Amino acid sequence: MNQPQTVPLLLDATELAADRSREPGFAARAHRLLAELVRGGAALGWVEPPSPDEVAELFAQVRAATRAGDGALRVAYLGERLVGLGYWLRYARPTHRPHADLEKLAVDAAAHGQGVGRALTAALVADAREAGVEVLTLDARGDNAGALHLYRSLGFTEYGRLPDFVAVGERRYDKVFCMLDLREASG
């Protein structure tokens, strides 16, 4: 009997584009992953699941930024199943161009605890460092303890918090801001 793959296969945007078995259906798979997570209450910036067109447009923009050197996309597969994705984008403001924001990191609930989020985040940090990003920022919903723990374990530090800033219906959550200074010597 085959053992399930436990180490995720990580691809960057270029590798994904060249993969004839995964690339053609990527937008649809990404939509299914994100929509399922949002339906389950994941803190990904949507209250209702995004439409397929919205996800396709989002990843077209991310891929264009990646081609221009202004972003990075990473995807994770366990076997043939897309189980995670994440990306960062460089800030557009001229005075903020040395910096980037980790905007989305999403991992299939069935793959939680298998190192997918850690592998994706570490790869995105490495991509940012290689691209000359000086400070990588992110924000997370305050109740997302697992994500906040992961980010802290990878060296991110909290630099601010907006109490009750995120509104999901009648519920309110803190918005937590984190940063990783890539100018520091890596150790």
Side-chain angles (χ1 to χ4, degrees):
M1 178 187 318
N2 290 342
Q3 291 292 325
Q5 183 179 345
T6 57
V7 176
L9 169 66
L10 294 184
L11 301 175
D12 65 20
T14 302
E15 293 164 331
L16 177 62
D19 190 323
R20 294 177 189 264
S21 68
R22 290 183 174 92
E23 199 290 325
F26 171 72
R29 288 184 192 100
H31 171 258
R32 278 193 298 277
L33 172 65
L34 293 169
E36 183 177 305
L37 287 168
V38 171
R39 271 192 290 281
L44 292 169
W46 291 287
V47 174
E48 297 296 325
S51 72
D53 289 341
E54 185 177 356
V55 171
E57 176 62 24
L58 171 66
F59 285 103
Q61 292 170 1
V62 169
R63 286 175 159 186
T66 299
R67 284 191 300 274
D70 291 334
L73 169 66
R74 287 289 181 153
V75 295
Y77 288 86
L78 288 175
E80 295 303 311
R81 197 171 102 241
L82 176 68
V83 294
L85 55 87
Y87 66 89
W88 59 258
L89 296 173
R90 209 176 278 280
Y91 285 98
R93 252 189 191 165
T95 56
H96 296 112
R97 296 283 302 151
H99 314 297
D101 192 53
L102 180 60
E103 295 194 10
K104 292 259 185 279
L105 185 74
V107 176
D108 187 323
H112 284 181
Q114 296 183 39
V116 175
R118 177 170 298 283
L120 281 168
T121 307
L124 288 164
V125 167
D127 293 342
R129 186 174 275 119
E130 186 176 315
V133 170
E134 293 179 8
V135 177
L136 185 61
T137 60
L138 62 84
D139 63 76
R141 204 168 74 188
D143 69 323
N144 198 345
L148 290 167
H149 174 76
L150 169 65
Y151 300 138
R152 287 183 189 112
S153 76
L154 291 170
F156 285 84
T157 57
E158 182 177 328
Y159 69 89
R161 184 179 286 254
L162 292 173
D164 298 330
F165 186 81
V166 180
V168 180
E170 295 299 314
R171 296 176 307 231
R172 297 294 182 266
Y173 303 95
D174 291 357
K175 183 174 184 174
V176 181
F177 297 94
C178 298
M179 52 92 59
L180 179 63
D181 191 337
L182 299 175
R183 297 170 292 193
E184 298 173 357
S186 56

